[in-house]
């Protein structure tokens, strides 16, 4: 039976508006990849949100995916996130790009050199991971994709980098209220920062305008999930780059 895209999108949008609400995973279990991408676009329309940040990934099946991170969930480095009753599983530190020009499917298919011409600069960022689904394990293979790949928000770093940073092997440290609580070692999850961007951009499967000039595209966690308290001052360090920090309350 075809999925009721609008009804599912309405439920997810309501969970965005009211963090006490959760969408039953069973409602999403039969979604196809195409259904899930269509739900993302429908949710944005219901929320009337713009998309300053998008995330990309390359699952084991090799078919790239992307999801929007709405403006209401995005802050700059040093800012504050009012978490309230929103779900928070943890954080991910990631390498991202800011586009200086639209990245079209045609440019993506022209190869890495052409794609690099659209990138204004590389940056670091922190993604919060959190869901609107009551039990993601019961939401089927594409339920989490419909839920914007379970993004809980994003912190945009201040330091700009002219080239993709070579981060593999760098130390990652997480501090909460000044005390180090976790140490990890960085590794690109999909080989490098460009591969998942190129893979998705070339598919012409964008329902939310994620590859437009000015948008930040983040490219996957450099380490296992970073676990943080729901309140406090958070700082994440990657190698010798400028630390990223924000407040949860």
């Amino acid at each position: 039976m075809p999925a009721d895209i609008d009804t599912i999108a309405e439920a997810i949008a309501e969970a965005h508006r009211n963090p006490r609400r959760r969408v039953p995973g069973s409602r999403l279990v039969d979604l196809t990849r195409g259904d899930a991408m269509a739900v993302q676009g429908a949710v944005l329309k219901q929320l009337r949100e713009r998309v300053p940040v998008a995330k990309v990934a390359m699952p084991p099946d090799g078919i790239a995916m992307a999801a929007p991170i709405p403006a209401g969930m995005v802050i700059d480095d040093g800012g504050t996130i009012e978490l309230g009753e929103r779900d928070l599983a943890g954080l991910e530190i990631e390498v991202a790009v800011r586009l200086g020009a639209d990245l079209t499917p045609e440019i993506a298919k022209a190869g890495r050199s052409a794609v690099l011409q659209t990138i204004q600069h590389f940056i670091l960022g922190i993604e919060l991971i959190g869901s609107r689904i009551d039990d993601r394990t019961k939401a089927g293979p594409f339920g989490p994709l419909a839920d914007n790949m379970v993004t809980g928000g994003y912190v945009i770093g201040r330091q700009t980098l002219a080239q993709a940073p070579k981060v593999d092997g760098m130390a990652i440290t997480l501090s909460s209220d000044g005390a180090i609580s976790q140490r990890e070692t960085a590794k690109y999850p999909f080989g490098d920062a460009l591969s998942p961007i190129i893979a998705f951009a070339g598919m012409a499967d964008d329902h939310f305008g994620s590859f437009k000039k000015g948008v930040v595209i983040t490219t996957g966690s450099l380490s296992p999930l970073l676990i943080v308290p729901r309140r406090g001052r958070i700082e994440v360090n990657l190698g010798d780059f400028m630390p990223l920090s924000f407040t949860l309350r």
Side-chain angles (χ1 to χ4, degrees):
M1 179 181 295
D4 188 340
I5 302 299
D6 290 336
T7 300
I8 292 173
E10 182 177 353
I12 294 176
E14 179 57 27
H16 275 278
R17 299 186 192 101
N18 180 1
R20 296 181 180 180
R21 300 287 293 272
R22 294 288 186 271
V23 180
S26 58
R27 294 189 62 182
L28 311 178
V29 68
D30 293 325
L31 291 177
T32 65
R33 181 187 180 283
D35 292 338
M37 296 295 294
V39 168
Q40 291 180 7
V43 168
L44 283 176
K45 288 180 181 178
Q46 294 206 23
L47 295 177
R48 297 182 179 180
E49 278 272 29
R50 64 184 182 86
V51 181
V53 181
K55 56 186 296 187
V56 290
M58 290 180 64
D61 64 10
I63 301 176
M65 300 190 301
I69 304 181
M73 303 173 77
V74 176
I75 64 169
D76 291 325
D77 181 32
T80 297
I81 290 180
E82 301 286 347
L83 190 61
E85 297 185 64
R86 285 160 49 185
D87 179 50
L88 177 64
L91 311 178
E92 298 177 347
I93 184 166
E94 305 178 349
V95 173
V97 305
R98 186 181 294 277
L99 293 179
D102 291 357
L103 174 51
T104 65
E106 293 74 21
I107 293 173
K109 292 174 182 177
R112 298 173 74 88
S113 295
V115 170
L116 282 169
Q117 295 301 310
T118 71
I119 293 175
Q120 181 175 323
H121 53 245
F122 291 81
I123 57 174
L124 302 180
I126 297 173
E127 185 184 6
L128 284 71
I129 304 300
S131 180
R132 275 60 53 187
I133 303 171
D134 62 353
D135 186 346
R136 298 198 300 273
T137 67
K138 298 180 180 178
F142 297 110
L145 176 61
D147 184 35
N148 291 10
M149 287 167 61
V150 297
T151 190
Y154 199 77
V155 181
I156 300 175
R158 290 173 291 169
Q159 183 176 10
T160 61
L161 308 169
Q163 297 178 335
K166 296 179 180 179
V167 301
D168 285 0
M170 285 187 174
I172 295 171
T173 58
L174 167 69
S175 299
S176 301
D177 290 329
I180 294 177
S181 57
Q182 191 171 344
R183 299 179 188 272
E184 303 290 350
T185 301
K187 184 175 178 57
Y188 275 116
F190 310 115
D192 60 23
L194 285 185
S195 293
I197 294 174
I198 294 171
F200 186 78
M203 296 172 67
D205 195 18
D206 180 2
H207 290 257
F208 48 87
S210 60
F211 289 79
K212 300 295 185 182
K213 179 180 178 179
V215 170
V216 170
I217 305 174
T218 191
T219 61
S221 182
L222 300 176
S223 78
L225 198 64
L226 304 175
I227 307 302
V228 294
R230 295 182 62 85
R231 301 290 184 273
R233 187 66 177 174
I234 309 301
E235 182 175 288
V236 183
N237 285 264
L238 171 65
D240 294 327
F241 294 112
M242 289 176 56
L244 292 94
S245 63
F246 69 103
T247 298
L248 279 171
R249 67 183 185 191

